Amino acid sequence: MSEEFLWKGRLGPMNLQISDTTFRPSTISALIARELRIQEGEVAIDVGCGSGVLSIIAAKLGARHVHAIDKSPDVIEVGRANAEANDVADRITFYQGDLFEPLADDVRADVIIGDVSGIPDTLADESGWFPTRGGGGTRGSELPIRMLEEARRRLSAGGRLFLPTGSLQDESSIIEAARRLYTKVRKLTERAIPLPSKLATSQVLSDLVERGVVRVSTRGSRSLWEARVWEVSGVA
């Protein structure tokens, strides 16, 4: 079963098919899209591609080919349908699997979009944001760090990786890992995002804040979390 989602971010409006197991494009998706830089003829890898919206944008910006990967069981069908609807199906290959595992050993990219699930598992399940459930590990940093480690051998010389992070995860551990694994880590943008009231008042979130895993702030009556996008380059 699928429904239409209207993307209003960069290069939109764009109609996308979203299935019951497809992660919906989010504010983070829009932030990455806004900062994404693609040179004509470059190859990209989109890890955690969901509906394929960032892959489609990369292709429209000039990527020669995009390898798009997601753990959703129907990502190939959903992604291909969206790519065909936006006239870039000939430049995107969709794969189902874990991080870079489905790719041939010799696949390298000039650009890696590393938008993988990155909030603690308990918070991910509480939020309802992730159709296939589960997040980025117990602290929300384990999966993004593993992505950064595995991305090193997939990034071409002079290539760059676009990395989203946020205060709803153990963000400092992710940035520390990025700086250990790569020579350049540059913040591109950040934004404060309101939390849904149900999540803001949940015991799960309260426990994570108390343990120092996540951070939230308040503005008036609203609880906010912070999202950031980084450009990572230069394998250390």
Side-chain angles (χ1 to χ4, degrees):
M1 181 179 178
S2 65
E3 59 182 282
E4 275 202 352
F5 176 91
L6 181 61
W7 167 262
K8 297 179 181 179
R10 189 178 185 185
L11 301 187
M14 186 188 305
N15 287 314
L16 301 170
Q17 291 298 315
I18 304 290
S19 80
D20 293 339
T21 60
T22 306
F23 180 76
R24 288 174 173 271
S26 64
T27 302
I28 290 284
S29 308
L31 287 177
I32 297 172
R34 192 179 70 187
E35 299 298 330
L36 191 60
R37 294 184 300 106
I38 302 286
Q39 302 298 321
E40 191 72 32
E42 289 187 321
V43 173
I45 297 174
D46 182 6
V47 188
C49 67
S51 65
V53 63
L54 295 178
S55 297
I56 292 168
I57 290 170
K60 286 177 175 284
L61 290 175
R64 174 166 53 86
H65 200 81
V66 183
H67 301 275
I69 312 157
D70 198 272
K71 67 179 181 179
S72 172
D74 59 358
V75 62
I76 295 173
E77 293 77 15
V78 170
R80 185 179 294 146
N82 288 329
E84 287 175 353
N86 287 279
D87 300 319
V88 290
D90 59 328
R91 284 182 283 148
I92 306 176
T93 303
F94 289 90
Y95 308 80
Q96 194 277 328
D98 177 61
L99 296 182
F100 302 93
E101 183 273 331
L103 299 180
D105 287 343
D106 61 349
V107 172
R108 300 290 183 275
D110 305 290
V111 173
I112 295 178
I113 304 166
D115 188 14
V116 298
S117 174
I119 64 175
D121 293 338
T122 54
L123 192 60
D125 290 344
E126 183 84 358
S127 71
W129 294 341
F130 301 92
T132 52
R133 300 185 67 80
T138 57
R139 300 180 67 85
S141 57
E142 293 87 345
L143 182 61
I145 290 173
R146 183 160 66 87
M147 184 275 297
L148 286 168
E149 291 171 342
E150 295 184 18
R152 294 174 79 232
R153 75 180 187 90
R154 296 292 185 173
L155 202 59
S156 300
R160 56 210 177 275
L161 184 153
F162 291 87
L163 171 71
T165 66
S167 64
L168 288 184
Q169 61 187 171
D170 179 9
E171 185 178 28
S172 61
S173 292
I174 299 171
I175 300 306
E176 181 181 315
R179 288 177 171 147
R180 170 173 51 85
L181 296 164
Y182 300 85
T183 60
K184 187 174 182 181
V185 179
R186 181 169 67 99
K187 183 170 66 177
L188 300 176
T189 191
E190 61 185 346
R191 180 181 296 179
I193 303 173
L195 276 168
S197 57
K198 180 181 176 181
L199 198 58
T201 57
S202 75
Q203 188 60 49
V204 168
L205 180 65
S206 179
D207 290 345
L208 288 165
V209 170
E210 186 175 341
R211 288 165 45 207
V213 177
V214 306
R215 293 174 292 104
V216 296
S217 60
T218 57
R219 184 183 301 164
S221 62
R222 309 190 80 174
S223 294
L224 307 170
W225 66 283
E226 296 172 349
R228 279 168 273 275
V229 177
W230 308 77
E231 183 183 271
V232 176
S233 59
V235 176

